[in-house]
Amino acid sequence: MMTRKLWRRALLAAAVVVVAVVSVLLKVTPPPKPDRYSVYDGDTLEVVHGDCLLAHLHLPCRPQRLRLYGVDAFERTQTCHDAEGKVWDCGSVATARLRQLVETPGFHCEVDEEFVDRHAREFAACISEGKDVGAILVSEGLAFAYGRRTRYVEIESEAKAAHRGAWAGNFVRPQYFRAGARG
């Protein structure tokens, strides 16, 4: 049977080993990487945070799914009609535009972790080259103001008046497209 003195020595030795291992890991682990963003569709993206603890142990980190706050973009497979009635892939265009904005240097999102939608996405306001990504998509007619008291209503009105993007032709709003409406 171990005495208290032996237990203390064993615990002290274990603590020294743990501190040594942690010190070595911190010295050989590279500094945190920048956040990595990927696009799912015109208003949804994923981020893998560069400071994820698992990355320090060279393990994959789970991505965080984000939804652009106050914006509803066309679904990836959604189509619209232009002014001449020709079909165009407005969903693919909206997704590609968000991808283009994400790829700009300095792109980042401010996540509001208190608000999560029914698909477990956290809401985020994202910035590309110093500009609000939601405002860019809405002003180009590739997304719509969504939700109560959204700051994008006026921007949407301007895009509509200027016939930008989908406003140049006919379309079904994404929320109705998801419910089964087709145009």
Side-chain angles (χ1 to χ4, degrees):
M1 193 169 213
M2 289 183 91
T3 65
R4 282 187 182 175
K5 194 173 189 178
L6 287 175
W7 271 108
R8 285 185 193 147
R9 285 185 183 172
L11 286 174
L12 182 60
V16 168
V17 169
V18 168
V19 168
V21 168
V22 169
S23 296
V24 168
L25 281 176
L26 290 176
K27 287 181 183 178
V28 297
T29 302
K33 298 176 183 176
D35 292 344
R36 289 179 296 134
Y37 293 91
S38 60
V39 174
Y40 179 76
D41 67 16
D43 58 19
T44 305
L45 42 119
E46 290 183 338
V47 59
V48 174
H49 295 287
D51 62 354
C52 171
L53 182 59
L54 292 175
H56 291 287
L57 303 172
H58 306 288
L59 297 171
C61 296
R62 185 170 176 229
Q64 177 184 20
R65 191 161 272 199
L66 306 176
R67 165 83 189 265
L68 290 177
Y69 177 78
V71 171
D72 193 18
F74 291 111
E75 298 298 314
R76 280 185 299 166
T77 60
Q78 191 170 351
T79 58
C80 300
H81 294 88
D82 66 13
E84 286 81 44
K86 294 180 185 172
V87 175
W88 64 286
D89 294 323
C90 52
S92 295
V93 171
T95 301
R97 180 63 172 129
L98 180 56
R99 189 172 290 116
Q100 182 183 40
L101 293 168
V102 165
E103 292 171 356
T104 61
F107 176 89
H108 67 281
C109 296
E110 297 291 326
V111 179
D112 186 345
E113 295 175 0
E114 289 185 28
F115 294 101
V116 178
D117 73 3
R118 63 187 171 135
H119 302 291
R121 299 176 296 188
E122 293 176 285
F123 288 100
C126 301
I127 304 296
S128 177
E129 297 182 327
K131 296 178 183 169
D132 181 332
V133 170
I136 293 169
L137 294 171
V138 172
S139 73
E140 293 176 359
L142 298 174
F144 304 92
Y146 191 70
R148 294 184 206 162
R149 295 172 283 175
T150 178
R151 58 182 172 246
Y152 303 116
V153 172
E154 187 176 321
I155 297 168
E156 181 180 308
S157 295
E158 292 169 6
K160 181 178 181 180
H163 303 286
R164 289 193 291 262
W167 293 109
N170 296 310
F171 59 89
V172 173
R173 281 189 178 260
Q175 67 195 67
Y176 301 121
F177 180 82
R178 288 188 297 273
R182 301 294 182 260

